[in-house]
Amino acid sequence: MRELVAAGLAWLAGLALLHRCERLPTAAEYAALAALLLLLGLLRRRHWLLLSACVAVLAFTQGALRADLRMRPELHPAWEARDLVLSGRVDSLPIAITGQGGVPGWRFEFAVESVGPTGAALPPEVPRRLMLLAYDAPPITAGERWRFTTRLKRAHGLANPGGFDAELWLFELGLRASGTVRPGGSERLQAAPWWEIDAARQRLRTAIRAHVADPGMAGVLAALSLGDQNAITHADWALFRDTAVAHLLSVSGTHVAMFAWLAAAVIGPLWRRSRRLCLRLPAPLAARWIGVAAALGYALFSGWGVPAQRTVWMLAAVAGLRTLGLRWPWPLVLLGAAVVVTAVDPWALMQPGFWLSFGAVGLLMAAGGERAAGWREHLQAALRTQAIATVGLAPLSLICFAQLSVVGLLANLVAIPLISFVITPLALLGGLFAPLWALAALAMQGLMAWLKLLVAWPAAVWWLPAAPLWAQGLALLGAVLVVMRLPWRLRGAGLAMMLPLLWPAVARPPAGEFELLAPDIGQGNAVLVRTAGHALLFDTGPAYSPGADAGERVLLPLLRSLGVQRLDLLMLSHRDGDHVGGAATLMQALPVAELRSSLEPGHALRHAGPPATRCEAGQGWSWDGVRFDVLHPGPAHYAAALRSNDLSCVLRITAASGRRALLAGDLEAGQERLLAQREPDLHADVLLVPHHGSKTSSSAELLAAVRPVTGLVQAGYRSRFGHPAPPVLARYQAAGIAVVASPSCGAWRWQSDAAPLDAVCERDRERRYWRDRGLPVDGLAGPPEPEDRPVVEGLPPF
């Protein structure tokens, strides 16, 4: 038994080590691993530790080989943003999306079968599977074969501390590039076969939407019956997350187990009616394995998520052990299921759902409990189960999502029985009798009303900064002690062990110095400036699409991970959407003491809540020994009604040590020259490159006056505007200024008590083998594209 436990843990450890690697092994290193594996295999009988080491090396090596295979072929940068004709199969349920300007479209996975003529001597190598976006396209069905004219880009996402890793998400799905379908470049080649699982799932989803008038309720029912979590609206997801019931809004282990139990309950009595069948196979054994088969079929039909996988493998393990007459303890069964799940999908280990799913089952099994007899005992058992799940999973939820729902216990007390025993069965049976979907939607609307009531309570959700690794491990161990049937003295020690996770120390700049953090937000500007006791945000990035912006997707997770609970000043340089797109979201989610901007008096953001003033040259203040000065625009610029770019607020930040940063918004060349003439000392160590490196800015006069060590470009990967422009980059290079661009750097972090060249790029700090290493700064800009092209920067995390 000890050998089995050690081997299972060694398998998981080997995969965990692989997922911390910056790169995959070379051919020589693979040869060394093979030799080590052979040696350990020969010696494995001598000691159980050698067997564990052999399993760990095997897990690492096979995972690396599969990752290497998944990453090939890569899309060469030369073929990015060029028209390519691709033929293939729609390989997932298309998801309805909305681009900028409200343009409707579809997002779907596409399995490439052939690449059309390109006119090149060497046709491009295109990844086998892609993520495509098609706007203003005809209806697309899973399983169909299409020919698309596309423009592709490598699997590149935003890289920010505490942010969603889109590149990991794409890698886990086996998608090594993404792209858009060109207008008019779609041709359906073949309808989906009748036996296509995804096509059947899509037909059922369409039927749900046809019978349920409320799109939000239709999306929830599709998620519960089909595992289509993308059908749930973003606002509903936020509600489920804040009330800690999001785990119920997918095909969970409970749903799969219930489906298996129903199948076994129906098949068992029918099997007993046949003497011939019973002679071939005993009815209990047949019912057991048919239940496993039913669970497998349902899990596959519902998208094969980690909770469903875990349940299927656990059911199979229990059925197999009973068939063989073996009795394994529950930790070994749970560990075996984890090994099987990660053997099928090595990257499941990096999904929060893996840890939450196995953690919940493990906690409940560890806590144990006596069999309930009456209704009071059942009620007590239900309350105890909820308390165990709430307290035990709280540290894991904080680690994965940096939030804790205070109302989660009350929400789950109602949601678990209602969703598990009423709404989900009705959603499943609705496929046979459609009116049941209306009843399920009605029950779900009642539950939503209860959840909205709870989330409206003060302090219903706690957002906490990221804690160090030692605090996370200590809190997880403490959670196990709290829920187990141990003396209260030990449980109290468990609670004390959780405290460092709940109150982590937040690192801040020393007095007189500041920290400048420029997140990776795509095409736009947003810069966070922190002193010892204050926080200022300069611009808020773009709106990616209706209902999705940089404020929600990037800035809020970043601020919360850093422990920034309020903004002392929000400065919006000017009115352009790529600078103010996330402002409304931020002002709703965080207290903002003051708004300062060049926005016109009637602009909606000036009346969104915090006191609003106009930024004017000559304004200045000091925070914690750090000086802030507004250099532009002046009253005369407002009176002249200049274009919004030329009204950009220009902010200079000066540390006690003398180091400076200059944030210039989208100021253009004419006003740059006047600013250089007007300000006698414009020198700064760091310059936020004006207008993202547009050829209309970064005049020679400005660069000569500022003389920065580093120029920071915030722009989109393969920017459709051509940012940063090659002539501008040449100008910086001629002046001896190092240029850092967010697509190749990720978030850029600099403390004023260090040299600008010692700043940290997120892509360097968190190197992983699946991450795009990016391109040199002079290769980031793509050719300008038509202005009517819908753009979605990054991909959603659901």
Side-chain angles (χ1 to χ4, degrees), residues 213-250:
D214 186 337
M217 294 302 98
V220 171
L221 298 186
L224 290 172
S225 56
L226 302 173
D228 182 17
Q229 298 182 43
N230 295 289
I232 299 178
T233 65
H234 187 71
D236 288 344
W237 262 126
L239 176 64
F240 299 145
R241 181 191 63 227
D242 291 346
T243 52
V245 301
H247 63 102
L248 299 172
L249 273 300
S250 61

XYZ file of all heavy atoms in Angstrom, residues 213-250:
273
model
N -37.431 31.732 -22.837
C -37.406 33.091 -23.375
C -36.244 33.910 -22.828
O -35.645 34.711 -23.545
C -38.725 33.793 -23.080
N -35.902 33.725 -21.546
C -34.826 34.507 -20.918
C -33.472 33.944 -21.365
O -33.130 32.796 -21.025
C -34.964 34.414 -19.397
C -33.981 35.320 -18.675
O -32.939 35.669 -19.272
O -34.243 35.685 -17.513
N -32.644 34.720 -22.100
C -31.353 34.191 -22.564
C -30.437 33.780 -21.413
O -29.675 32.816 -21.537
C -30.760 35.364 -23.359
C -31.916 36.229 -23.709
C -32.894 36.081 -22.600
N -30.510 34.526 -20.305
C -29.659 34.182 -19.172
C -30.024 32.829 -18.590
O -29.151 31.998 -18.300
N -31.332 32.559 -18.415
C -31.759 31.271 -17.882
C -31.462 30.149 -18.865
O -31.093 29.040 -18.480
C -33.257 31.305 -17.575
C -33.650 32.256 -16.447
S -32.827 31.899 -14.881
C -31.483 33.092 -14.903
N -31.612 30.420 -20.156
C -31.279 29.418 -21.169
C -29.802 29.049 -21.088
O -29.432 27.874 -21.223
C -31.629 29.936 -22.562
N -28.948 30.043 -20.849
C -27.521 29.767 -20.722
C -27.207 28.912 -19.519
O -26.375 27.998 -19.578
N -27.881 29.165 -18.388
C -27.655 28.369 -17.183
C -28.088 26.922 -17.409
O -27.385 25.978 -17.024
C -28.411 28.988 -15.987
C -28.366 28.051 -14.792
C -27.816 30.334 -15.614
N -29.243 26.716 -18.040
C -29.719 25.354 -18.297
C -28.791 24.627 -19.261
O -28.564 23.419 -19.127
C -31.149 25.385 -18.849
C -32.219 25.984 -17.925
C -33.596 25.826 -18.533
C -32.165 25.344 -16.546
N -28.250 25.346 -20.250
C -27.289 24.733 -21.167
C -26.029 24.320 -20.421
O -25.439 23.264 -20.700
C -26.959 25.696 -22.302
N -25.601 25.126 -19.454
C -24.417 24.784 -18.673
C -24.658 23.543 -17.816
O -23.797 22.668 -17.703
C -24.009 25.965 -17.793
N -25.834 23.453 -17.212
C -26.137 22.333 -16.327
C -26.333 21.031 -17.088
O -25.992 19.959 -16.590
C -27.390 22.641 -15.499
C -27.228 23.728 -14.434
C -28.559 24.077 -13.814
C -26.237 23.281 -13.365
N -26.904 21.101 -18.271
C -27.207 19.871 -19.006
C -26.116 19.488 -19.996
O -25.905 18.304 -20.265
C -28.543 20.014 -19.744
O -28.528 21.149 -20.591
N -25.410 20.486 -20.540
C -24.427 20.220 -21.588
C -22.993 20.513 -21.166
O -22.065 20.220 -21.916
C -24.736 21.079 -22.828
C -26.107 20.906 -23.461
C -26.307 21.938 -24.548
C -26.233 19.510 -24.042
N -22.820 21.111 -20.010
C -21.476 21.526 -19.623
C -20.983 22.743 -20.386
O -19.795 23.050 -20.383
N -21.908 23.472 -21.046
C -21.540 24.628 -21.860
C -21.514 25.870 -20.981
O -22.435 26.691 -20.989
C -22.536 24.781 -23.013
C -22.178 25.937 -23.938
O -21.019 26.393 -23.879
O -23.051 26.377 -24.707
N -20.425 26.040 -20.221
C -20.343 27.165 -19.297
C -20.246 28.493 -20.025
O -20.549 29.537 -19.460
C -19.146 26.981 -18.370
C -19.236 25.740 -17.504
C -18.066 25.594 -16.569
O -17.625 26.548 -15.945
N -17.531 24.393 -16.468
N -19.809 28.466 -21.287
C -19.722 29.702 -22.052
C -21.091 30.301 -22.337
O -21.191 31.462 -22.724
C -19.003 29.439 -23.377
C -17.559 29.034 -23.165
O -16.725 29.830 -22.785
N -17.273 27.753 -23.401
N -22.152 29.504 -22.170
C -23.493 30.014 -22.441
C -23.987 30.938 -21.327
O -24.948 31.687 -21.519
C -24.472 28.841 -22.621
N -23.352 30.903 -20.162
C -23.759 31.749 -19.039
C -23.247 33.158 -19.267
O -22.085 33.359 -19.634
C -23.229 31.180 -17.714
C -23.799 29.781 -17.474
C -23.590 32.092 -16.550
C -23.295 29.127 -16.208
N -24.099 34.149 -19.052
C -23.697 35.532 -19.271
C -22.635 35.942 -18.253
O -22.521 35.368 -17.164
C -24.887 36.485 -19.154
O -25.373 36.459 -17.799
C -26.013 36.070 -20.101
N -21.876 36.958 -18.620
C -20.783 37.403 -17.755
C -21.307 37.913 -16.416
O -20.719 37.650 -15.367
C -19.989 38.483 -18.471
C -18.754 38.878 -17.743
N -17.644 38.056 -17.641
C -18.454 39.992 -17.032
C -16.718 38.656 -16.924
N -17.178 39.824 -16.547
N -22.417 38.649 -16.436
C -22.976 39.180 -15.185
C -23.426 38.041 -14.266
O -23.227 38.098 -13.044
C -24.147 40.105 -15.492
N -24.011 36.995 -14.838
C -24.445 35.859 -14.023
C -23.246 35.122 -13.438
O -23.283 34.681 -12.279
C -25.298 34.908 -14.852
C -26.684 35.484 -15.164
O -27.068 36.461 -14.498
O -27.360 34.963 -16.073
N -22.177 34.989 -14.226
C -20.978 34.343 -13.698
C -20.437 35.115 -12.498
O -19.995 34.520 -11.508
C -19.898 34.260 -14.775
C -19.824 32.932 -15.481
C -19.885 32.708 -16.807
C -19.663 31.644 -14.877
N -19.792 31.367 -17.080
C -19.649 30.693 -15.909
C -19.550 31.205 -13.563
C -19.512 29.322 -15.676
C -19.414 29.834 -13.326
C -19.395 28.920 -14.376
N -20.437 36.441 -12.603
C -19.946 37.251 -11.484
C -20.786 37.004 -10.231
O -20.251 36.909 -9.121
C -19.968 38.725 -11.868
N -22.093 36.887 -10.400
C -22.974 36.619 -9.256
C -22.680 35.244 -8.656
O -22.565 35.093 -7.435
C -24.430 36.710 -9.703
C -25.485 36.360 -8.649
C -25.448 37.356 -7.500
C -26.876 36.316 -9.279
N -22.540 34.221 -9.503
C -22.275 32.869 -9.003
C -20.916 32.801 -8.320
O -20.757 32.121 -7.298
C -22.327 31.867 -10.161
C -23.667 31.793 -10.850
C -23.753 31.569 -12.217
C -24.836 31.965 -10.135
C -24.981 31.512 -12.847
C -26.070 31.917 -10.759
C -26.141 31.691 -12.126
N -19.938 33.520 -8.868
C -18.601 33.520 -8.265
C -18.621 34.217 -6.912
O -18.038 33.730 -5.940
C -17.624 34.221 -9.207
C -16.185 34.261 -8.701
C -15.351 35.194 -9.561
N -15.832 36.564 -9.471
C -16.035 37.362 -10.512
N -15.812 36.937 -11.732
N -16.470 38.605 -10.333
N -19.309 35.355 -6.819
C -19.311 36.130 -5.578
C -20.102 35.450 -4.470
O -19.893 35.761 -3.292
C -19.884 37.529 -5.831
C -18.950 38.378 -6.686
O -17.781 37.987 -6.848
O -19.406 39.414 -7.198
N -21.001 34.538 -4.828
C -21.772 33.806 -3.813
C -21.259 32.382 -3.637
O -21.887 31.576 -2.931
C -23.261 33.776 -4.187
O -23.410 33.296 -5.535
C -23.878 35.157 -4.074
N -20.141 32.047 -4.276
C -19.470 30.748 -4.107
C -20.324 29.565 -4.541
O -20.218 28.475 -3.980
C -19.034 30.567 -2.656
N -21.158 29.755 -5.557
C -21.935 28.628 -6.079
C -21.527 28.296 -7.513
O -22.168 27.485 -8.177
C -23.461 28.907 -6.025
C -23.913 29.172 -4.605
C -23.845 30.066 -6.938
N -20.440 28.895 -7.993
C -20.030 28.668 -9.380
C -19.714 27.199 -9.632
O -19.880 26.714 -10.757
C -18.820 29.537 -9.716
N -19.272 26.480 -8.595
C -18.937 25.065 -8.779
C -20.153 24.233 -9.158
O -20.019 23.138 -9.714
C -18.318 24.503 -7.493
C -19.252 24.525 -6.315
N -19.912 23.407 -5.880
C -19.645 25.543 -5.496
C -20.660 23.721 -4.836
N -20.520 25.006 -4.581
N -21.359 24.735 -8.864
C -22.579 24.000 -9.183
C -23.046 24.241 -10.610
O -23.896 23.499 -11.113
C -23.708 24.419 -8.227
C -23.477 24.152 -6.741
C -24.572 24.799 -5.921
C -23.417 22.653 -6.484
N -22.524 25.295 -11.254
C -23.032 25.696 -12.566
C -22.231 25.053 -13.694
O -22.017 25.646 -14.749
C -23.024 27.217 -12.689
C -24.282 27.927 -12.152
C -25.522 27.456 -12.884
C -24.451 27.740 -10.654
N -21.791 23.863 -13.471
C -21.162 23.052 -14.503
C -21.621 21.624 -14.247
O -22.274 21.335 -13.243
C -19.635 23.149 -14.427
O -19.184 22.665 -13.185
